[in-house]
Amino acid sequence: MKIINIVVSILVIFVSAAVAGILIYLRPEMTIPIIIIYLSALLMLTISNCLIGIFNARKKSAIEADDFMKVMEDLNTEFILWTDDLSFIRMNKRIRDLMDIGDDDGFDHKEALKKAFGLNDLDNKSFKLIATGGSHEATFKNSSDKVISIAWSTTLVKKVKKRSLYISTGFNFTEIKKMRVNLASANDFFNSSMELAEIGVIMSTDKKKYAASSETVRMFGLKTNNIDISMFRSLIHPNDRMQFDRAVNQNDETDSDVKSIELRIRSAIGTSYRWYSFRYKSIAATDNTLPLFGGALLDITQEREKDMLIERLAYIDEVTEIANRNKLMDIGQETYECSRLLNYSYWIIVLDIDRFHIINDTCGYDTGNRILKDFAHILYKFVSPGGLAARISGDNFALVLRDYGDDELPIRTAKTIQDELAKLAVDDLASITLSCSAGFSKMPDDGQSFLDVMEHAEFALKSVNGQQSTICGYEPSMHDSIIGNTELEKSLALAISNNELQLFYQPKIDLKTGKIMGVEALIRWIKPDGTIIKPDAFVPIAESSHLIGKISEFVLNEGCRQNRMWQKMGFPNIVMSINFTSSDFYQNDLKERVLDALAISGLESKWLEVELTETLALSDIDYAVDQMNKLRDLGVKLAMDDFGTGYSSLSYLQILPITLLKLDRSFITDIQNDNIAFEIVSAVISIAKSKKIKTIAEGIENHEQEEILKKAGCDYGQGYLYGKPMPAEELEELMRNFL
Ligand code: C2E
Ligand code: MG
Ligand code: MG
């Protein structure tokens, strides 16, 4: 081989390597085809140099092209030697095997060449094009229908008279092509999964330019997959941009934990912002890879809205829209601690609208609610900085006022409130005189905690029970005078010993099957003359004395006995629910008492349910959870009664081990017309469901309410529609018809 050929070859090798390098740099995604072409070109160069040598030597040694083919026959590359007039065509074994043809002699060479180059026609033009085109991609099927893809590189070897001899070397890229298809479908699979899960993904190596997944493009109505960080940032709510910047610019690249923030981002639909959870992560650079920053975006607007509803339900009173008991307790305790620390003091005034239930009964709930709202409005006017007005329950309100050394302030304030309330009555409810009573105490002097101080204000209020328009400050000596001194308490004590207490039972219905699944035991005091006294009239009095313990003992034992009796009588098993007050519940021997009642009656624990109110659980949450767990360990069911009455909090569902949630009657009464009540009930049901807690609606009085609750997914129902509280015998009669 001439020296010039060697120099030219070396030059060609270096120049083409440089060109390939530049091309790979500019178009990294074309790396594989560029390498293929480069390697093929190298092979071609070597072979053509070889051929030139052979042809040059031909004269001397008379070696034919056929001799060269012998050399190429077993080469590990597809190889064809051909002239442009197609009079000479030779193919090596490798390409013949691919096309499933035998010896080099026994086949139609032109047809085979046409097939190898993937051509439809045998015209010379096509071959010329291949000869001059340099590289050519061909696809053909072999005899077993397998698709073969070959990249051919063709070079002119020599002109012999009018004919030109070409050499084509092939690169079989069938497998690579399949891989490419697989990669493309993996990408499609990824994009479709993200689309189905509605998760957008953004990735970047420099934190400036981001590659956005097709779902991200759809979510935010982007124009392209390649997005600029500043453009994406402009879609984020101004108040959330700092958070996003902090996430993107986190300096510790070695921290590979997944982190999460919540952002408002303008969505593709309309101009409104939606809430997204942005889970992001940095992957540090390695020797072979660039650092990577990426994140997934998930629309959480619905969950956020639910949270807001829960927050509202937890802290704002629905009727009056002022703080509820929860908020009062939270802020009150903080204020109590500050007052101790900073030597401030506060007045706590607890107010109760006199005979409010009469207004409710005579004028209806709408009027009652309006009065509550107006009353809250009056209270609000007295709130000074650091103070608070809240509705504690029903017609009970609290006012927290900063004390500036004026001991007359609580009385003066309560009097002004009474005057304003009276005016309200004159204006709107001419026939009814509205008044309120107040009890007050001082913080931190009057108690060990905010709750303590507030209970003492309530104590002062109760001490004047029955008398209207009274205002009374707390005195520690009050405890002695209240307990054991009322007439009612005396006769109640007598009633207990005379067995005048009786349990009535109200059925609970499984809304899916329409069958009775349980009963609630509700106590009645039946006087010797037959008058029935409802629990509201005597349970609170019993609660403020030791009598409640006796009552609860009776209810627990009688409830268990009766349920076991029904089982023995052959009625299907149902759950017996009994009501507990906080003084029963916080007894140290609660577990033993329940265990005794079950043992004496022979009732299995799963047929007993204890109903607790939220106030009860709230007063000492840790101890309450402890007591509840003791009952749960026994296998006794736990229901949260009157849920939603103003100081309930859905967040307690996380900690309280309850099995049933009783939606308070106030939500059900007007659920047909009251959209807010419906929304709250639906949200509570779905949240309870997610926590595997069953739900029951109290106070269902008609089929319309029943239908709405069924649709909302409520499990059970209780109310006059199915039966009022009734004596055991009546319930047996009902069970016979119902079950
Ligand atoms: P609760 O546990 O929420 O009981 C439900 C109250 O709602 C019952 O009043 C029941 O008669 C009433 N009710 C049920 N369905 C409807 C309805 O469709 N419409 C209307 N308007 N009212 C309905 P009751 O029997 O007067 O009991 C009042 C409260 O007294 C109970 O509320 C419970 O907190 C307490 N209580 C009752 N029995 C006991 C007891 O044995 N021990 C204790 N500690 N408390 C009891
Ligand atoms: Mg109850
Ligand atoms: Mg209830």
Side-chain angles (χ1 to χ4, degrees), residues 336-350:
Y336 179 87
E337 279 153 25
C338 287
S339 69
R340 275 221 174 283
L341 217 68
L342 304 170
N343 270 335
Y344 287 166
S345 44
Y346 289 84
W347 294 106
I348 315 243
I349 310 175
V350 175

Side-chain angles (χ1 to χ4, degrees), residues 349-352 410 414 418 436-440 457 460-461 464 469-473:
I349 310 175
V350 175
L351 301 116
D352 178 88
Q418 285 175 336
C436 69
S437 301
F440 62 91
L461 175 68
V464 291
S469 289
T470 47
I471 302 168
C472 184

Side-chain angles (χ1 to χ4, degrees), residues 365 503-504 506 520-524 534-536 538-539 543 548 551-552 555 578-582 584 611 613 641-642 662 664-665 669 698-701 705 718-721 723-725:
Y365 275 112
L503 285 187
F504 273 32
Q506 188 178 27
E520 177 172 8
L522 294 157
I523 195 145
R524 297 291 182 265
K534 287 203 172 180
D536 289 340
F538 64 91
V539 166
E543 254 186 292
I548 191 69
I551 294 182
S552 303
V555 175
I578 58 164
N579 292 280
F580 263 1
T581 59
S582 61
D584 307 318
E611 293 192 4
T613 59
D641 208 352
D642 305 340
K662 298 191 79 178
D664 190 66
R665 181 150 51 95
T669 313
E698 294 180 326
I700 302 183
E701 292 186 356
Q705 294 165 339
Q718 180 181 356
Y720 293 171
L721 178 65
K724 291 190 172 182

Side-chain angles (χ1 to χ4, degrees), residues 506-511 513-519 571-572 574 703 706 717-724 726 730-739:
Q506 188 178 27
K508 292 177 171 183
I509 305 298
D510 184 327
L511 291 178
T513 61
K515 299 209 166 172
I516 297 177
M517 47 64 64
V519 289
F571 289 107
I574 53 170
H703 288 291
E706 183 190 49
Q718 180 181 356
Y720 293 171
L721 178 65
Y722 315 107
K724 291 190 172 182
M726 58 189 92
E730 270 179 47
L731 192 98
E732 283 159 24
E733 200 50 42
L734 190 76
M735 280 204 278
R736 279 189 197 101
N737 303 331
F738 239 108
L739 289 169

